[in-house]
Amino acid sequence: MTTTNKLAPRGTLLLNEPMSRHTSWKAGGAAARYYQPADVDDLAMFMRSMAPDEPVSLVGLGSNLLVRDGGLRGTVIGLHGALNALRLEADGTVYAEAGVADAKVARFAARHGLAGAEFLAGIPGTVGGALAMNAGCYGAETWQIVLKVLTISRDGRLRERCAADYDIGYRHVALRASDEEWAMGDGCPHFPHSSSPIPHHPQEWFVAAWFELQQGDGEVSKQRIKALLAQRAASQPLSKPNAGSVFRNPPGDYAARLIENCGLKGLKIGGAEVSAKHANFIVNSGGATAADIEALIERVQAEVRQRCGIELQREVRIVGEKA
């Protein structure tokens, strides 16, 4: 659906859209409705146009997400390729909308002689997802460079917030308690029928951020990015569909070390396989269903629990209905 009516949403609406087209695992069922907004204002208008009880999910690159084979009821809003504004502000901050790839932000900052965002090149997702889970790698985390964010509520209200408004930790971001009826979930927000517990009913989503970076040497930053990407390519199974790290690192340890020590590298269920290159990655080795991937995740958790006495916590979110 595309319309020029300024009083109606201007984006594109698809029905029964396969989410395998929008997730990095290339598996899973369909979304009943899939909407790609034209811009932030269009997103706000679309949110206001929906019935208050319509289930809503926001997705970026789908790189931290498994959609079950039965699909998702309600509406999925796809931000990648939609909320893609990226610019240098007059105050020297970098403004990036939620659909911008993290690596693009890193390269943009380097081109403008700004340092501190290089690590974003190693995160296979978008700004929205990085904000929602405080994504990080190589010793740095997203919220270390966030000055403020722009959010949208379920009824389409836009609002600026600062980092002090949030409780931020390792792969965790939650809006601090207040007298207002606003709450932020711990991931790429409200997915109905999610198998991950959400601490509050989320009513607010990230749509943009202003990153505060330091003046630096652009060439040095570009070389740093190049080195990080080479390190990532050498250590991660990038040639096969995957969702990045499947499990959070336990305190004082590494999920990959535990999985490898349990002899689980190469373990397969259907088309899903524990990567032989990096044990904390599960790859789609060909024709994997979401059920295959979920079963392998559970198998790895069970083996590590039994052999090591440690409960691995998922970093990826599993949503939707089983087939």
Side-chain angles (χ1 to χ4, degrees):
M1 174 191 75
T2 303
T3 176
T4 58
N5 184 346
K6 294 182 179 180
L7 299 178
R10 295 173 284 111
T12 301
L13 178 66
L14 302 172
L15 302 181
N16 297 315
E17 174 67 2
M19 287 302 294
S20 57
R21 298 176 181 173
H22 305 285
T23 57
S24 59
W25 254 320
K26 306 300 181 187
R33 301 202 313 161
Y34 184 93
Y35 186 74
Q36 187 170 52
D39 51 35
V40 172
D41 289 337
D42 181 63
L43 172 60
M45 187 178 297
F46 182 74
M47 296 282 260
R48 291 193 293 269
S49 74
M50 287 188 294
D53 59 349
E54 172 81 356
V56 178
S57 313
L58 271 69
V59 173
L61 279 170
S63 57
N64 197 46
L65 178 67
L66 179 65
V67 178
R68 289 185 172 122
D69 299 307
L72 281 164
R73 297 201 299 266
T75 300
V76 172
I77 298 174
L79 302 183
H80 183 57
L83 302 192
N84 54 11
L86 177 61
R87 62 178 180 263
L88 184 64
E89 301 281 56
D91 62 1
T93 59
V94 172
Y95 172 84
E97 289 182 346
V100 177
D102 298 317
K104 188 174 182 180
V105 177
R107 293 191 295 268
F108 179 87
R111 285 200 304 272
H112 287 83
L114 298 172
E118 296 87 351
F119 75 96
L120 289 174
I123 299 174
T126 56
V127 168
L131 291 170
M133 66 177 295
N134 192 23
C137 61
Y138 308 121
E141 294 180 330
T142 300
W143 279 84
Q144 292 172 346
I145 59 173
V146 172
L147 176 65
K148 60 182 178 178
V149 295
L150 180 67
T151 66
I152 191 168
S153 64
R154 180 60 179 79
D155 60 1
R157 287 184 291 166
L158 294 168
R159 178 181 186 133
E160 288 187 13
R161 289 192 179 276
C162 64
D165 290 336
Y166 297 92
D167 176 40
I168 300 164
Y170 173 64
R171 305 297 179 265
H172 168 82
V173 178
L175 190 62
R176 294 184 186 278
S178 71
D179 294 332
E180 301 171 272
E181 293 182 356
W182 297 71
M184 181 69 201
D186 67 342
C188 202
H190 184 41
F191 282 108
H193 318 297
S194 169
S195 67
S196 294
I198 298 178
H200 309 286
H201 178 69
Q203 292 292 319
E204 198 167 308
W205 293 261
F206 295 117
V207 293
W210 286 262
F211 295 107
E212 189 171 36
L213 304 169
Q214 304 300 315
Q215 289 296 322
D217 185 320
E219 289 305 314
V220 171
S221 292
K222 290 175 185 177
Q223 289 303 312
R224 174 64 174 156
I225 290 170
K226 184 177 180 180
L228 289 176
L229 291 175
Q231 181 178 346
R232 181 172 172 239
S235 62
Q236 298 178 10
L238 303 184
S239 63
K240 295 181 180 180
N242 68 83
S245 296
V246 175
F247 301 103
R248 301 179 184 186
N249 288 323
D253 209 337
Y254 294 95
R257 187 194 72 82
L258 294 167
I259 297 166
E260 184 171 356
N261 284 358
C262 290
L264 300 178
K265 273 189 171 182
L267 178 66
K268 295 185 70 173
I269 294 180
E273 179 181 2
V274 177
S275 171
K277 194 170 188 179
H278 192 307
N280 198 17
F281 281 63
I282 288 176
V283 299
N284 182 343
S285 61
T289 64
D292 292 338
I293 296 169
E294 185 171 7
L296 188 54
I297 289 171
E298 293 174 351
R299 173 72 181 278
V300 169
Q301 286 176 308
E303 293 285 345
V304 172
R305 183 190 310 119
Q306 180 179 356
R307 300 185 191 190
C308 305
I310 294 175
E311 186 69 37
L312 290 179
Q313 301 297 320
R314 287 198 323 270
E315 192 166 303
V316 299
R317 187 176 294 280
I318 301 175
V319 302
E321 306 285 341
K322 291 185 177 181

